[in-house]
Amino acid sequence: MADHEVDLLVIGAGIVGLATALEITRRFPDMRLAVVEKEDRVAAHQTGHNSGVIHSGIYYRTGSLKARNCVAGAASMKRFCRDNAIPFEECGKLVVATSQDEVPRLEQLHQRGIANGVPGLRMLSREEFRHVEPHCEGLAALQVPSTGIVDYTVVSQKYAELIRQSGGEIVFNAKVTGLREDGSTNVVETVAGTFRARHVINCAGLYSDTLTRMAGVETNLEIVPFRGEYYEVRPERRHLIKNLIYPVPDPRFPFLGVHFTRRVNGSVEAGPNALLAFRREGYTGTSPDLGEAVEMLRFVGFRKMAKKYWRMGLAEQYRSWVKSAFTKALQKMVPELLESDLAQGGSGVRAQAVDTNGHLVDDFYFLHSARMIHVCNVPSPAATASLEIGKEIVEMMAQRFAMQSTVASG
């Protein structure tokens, strides 16, 4: 016998899981809904460790799920914050080309942003962008006025509050230990009891692939965790950065490079780098998980990826160990910054799906079984796009409802 019986169970109380549950309450208000979370609070991992940027949508391949959901998601996020009195700022950012070979890539980024529907983009000369960021240096910059900043933990807490107000339940300290289909329903075993649910949505983030396999669904993807480390700019030197300053990203990688981010609390972060984390929740480099590390090393896709990108990996590791190297990368954009201006900050872990060919999966990716949807890859800009991703997932579920009803009636 199950301890709880519900119509829909969402696994994971990160921002995507909560946004999906919130959309369920809006679209299917009569559903019995529960969210299970292994930690004692919402936004405990990726959501609560990111830099709080409302991304604009300039980076993502036109027509991709990332591009579509980010541009719409930025507007939805700002509207949600206004409607719920959540502090945010539409402060804008600069993407700065610091060498001649980056200028054509910056223009390509500009054209991609236009194609994606990002509003207000402008290419600026050095003289023009110095009016925006007086301490910034470079050859040219792309101004992205629609970029914003917010605290996504606060957003997640509001999602959770609205879910509860609509009758949904959120169960903490409920790590999933078993997941299977059982006839016309699903059985989800957790340390907080057993749930029987007609439908399950797996939004487990760093463990999404683990739960997908637990459910008996085959996948050629595995989550490889990348740790991003930040420094904080000391308060007396924050004047060097007005808002957000980014480099031109390397198109071979889904990472944006070390950059400057002003946060809604007034602090300024510098980073992150991109390091392999030998633990899925490895926020420091001093506590690897042997089992998880061995699992990652055995995965053929990881070995192919490592063979392809080992030079970049070594460079990132060097910047982690040598503060002056990290500082030098930042000084390309803000030359006045000194090593002594940087204090050790926090870190986050990105759940990046890698396939068996060693490719870093570049777009959002979902897998389906009869009565489950597995959210297998939703890295940045997932927080920005969370409300729109929730709509995508619920629409997938609604379509499956319709198909199953048609089959049953036929």
Side-chain angles (χ1 to χ4, degrees):
M1 293 290 293
D3 300 302
H4 308 269
E5 299 226 2
V6 296
D7 295 313
L8 176 74
L9 184 76
V10 176
I11 301 172
I15 198 166
V16 172
L18 292 170
T20 302
L22 181 60
E23 180 65 15
I24 288 289
T25 68
R26 293 170 171 174
R27 189 157 173 185
F28 300 100
D30 295 330
M31 265 195 172
R32 294 171 299 165
L33 167 70
V35 180
V36 293
E37 166 57 47
K38 71 184 181 71
E39 305 296 352
D40 62 358
R41 63 197 185 282
V42 303
H45 290 292
Q46 290 184 99
T47 304
H49 289 81
N50 72 27
S51 56
V53 176
I54 303 175
H55 290 286
S56 60
I58 62 171
Y59 298 110
Y60 316 115
R61 177 175 49 83
T62 302
S64 65
L65 287 171
K66 278 188 177 182
R68 188 173 74 241
N69 285 291
C70 185
V71 175
S76 296
M77 181 59 64
K78 293 169 190 174
R79 187 163 53 250
F80 181 85
C81 290
R82 291 188 191 99
D83 291 346
N84 292 280
I86 296 173
F88 81 99
E89 293 182 49
E90 191 175 68
C91 58
K93 78 174 179 183
L94 293 181
V95 182
V96 183
T98 58
S99 62
Q100 197 60 52
D101 65 298
E102 290 180 344
V103 175
R105 282 162 41 199
L106 186 66
E107 181 55 43
Q108 290 171 3
L109 205 61
H110 182 205
Q111 294 305 317
R112 176 175 284 186
I114 292 172
N116 289 349
V118 178
L121 298 175
R122 290 180 61 214
M123 288 289 289
L124 303 180
S125 67
R126 179 185 180 279
E127 291 71 23
E128 290 172 322
F129 75 67
R130 295 269 290 186
H131 287 293
V132 180
E133 291 284 355
H135 301 278
C136 183
E137 192 53 85
L139 302 178
L142 176 61
Q143 186 179 32
V144 191
S146 61
T147 299
I149 51 176
V150 71
D151 186 333
Y152 284 118
T153 297
V154 174
V155 172
S156 298
Q157 289 166 346
K158 177 56 70 171
Y159 286 177
E161 178 186 327
L162 295 174
I163 290 164
R164 291 192 185 100
Q165 286 177 2
S166 298
E169 182 182 12
I170 302 176
V171 183
F172 295 111
N173 301 304
K175 180 180 178 179
V176 173
T177 57
L179 176 60
R180 69 183 189 276
E181 291 184 7
D182 183 25
S184 62
T185 60
N186 303 289
V187 174
V188 184
E189 297 168 352
T190 81
V191 297
T194 300
F195 293 77
R196 185 175 289 275
R198 287 173 55 205
H199 296 273
V200 170
I201 299 175
N202 164 18
C203 295
L206 287 155
Y207 291 94
S208 58
D209 60 334
T210 301
L211 295 192
T212 300
R213 291 187 177 91
M214 185 185 290
V217 177
E218 291 187 10
T219 173
N220 69 337
L221 305 180
E222 188 161 308
I223 295 297
V224 174
F226 286 88
R227 184 175 70 257
E229 301 167 331
Y230 290 89
Y231 284 97
E232 285 209 11
V233 178
R234 297 187 187 279
E236 64 272 19
R237 298 288 279 174
R238 289 175 185 167
H239 68 276
L240 295 175
I241 298 95
K242 300 298 182 186
N243 290 300
L244 283 67
I245 306 174
Y246 281 58
V248 179
D250 187 327
R252 296 172 297 168
F253 307 107
F255 309 110
L256 300 181
V258 293
H259 50 267
F260 296 96
T261 305
R262 182 170 63 82
R263 307 203 63 173
V264 286
N265 64 6
S267 65
V268 176
E269 286 184 336
N273 49 18
L275 306 168
L276 279 172
F278 291 94
R279 185 188 189 102
R280 297 204 183 199
E281 295 168 1
Y283 298 107
T284 71
T286 58
S287 57
D289 182 292
L290 183 59
E292 292 182 355
V294 169
E295 179 186 19
M296 183 174 72
L297 293 170
R298 283 178 174 170
F299 176 50
V300 63
F302 170 79
R303 296 197 299 272
K304 290 179 179 178
M305 181 198 70
K307 184 177 180 180
K308 194 184 307 183
Y309 299 129
W310 66 270
R311 287 185 178 86
M312 181 188 181
L314 285 178
E316 290 291 301
Q317 190 63 64
Y318 179 74
R319 282 199 306 199
S320 174
W321 288 333
V322 181
K323 186 179 179 183
S324 60
F326 200 108
T327 306
K328 187 176 180 180
L330 295 165
Q331 287 172 332
K332 289 180 180 179
M333 296 176 289
V334 181
E336 295 173 56
L337 186 79
L338 303 175
E339 186 176 337
S340 59
D341 295 336
L342 301 176
Q344 195 65 50
S347 66
V349 178
R350 175 191 178 111
Q352 174 63 54
V354 176
D355 67 20
T356 50
N357 294 315
H359 298 140
L360 302 169
V361 179
D362 189 44
D363 205 0
F364 299 151
Y365 186 79
F366 310 92
L367 280 174
H368 307 261
S369 54
R371 291 175 179 80
M372 298 187 199
I373 296 175
H374 301 278
V375 182
C376 297
N377 192 60
V378 283
S380 181
T384 298
S386 56
L387 291 166
E388 298 302 316
I389 296 171
K391 290 177 183 177
E392 288 264 359
I393 294 168
V394 174
E395 180 57 31
M396 292 177 203
M397 190 190 74
Q399 290 174 7
R400 298 189 83 76
F401 278 167
M403 287 174 57
Q404 289 165 8
S405 298
T406 300
V407 170
S409 62

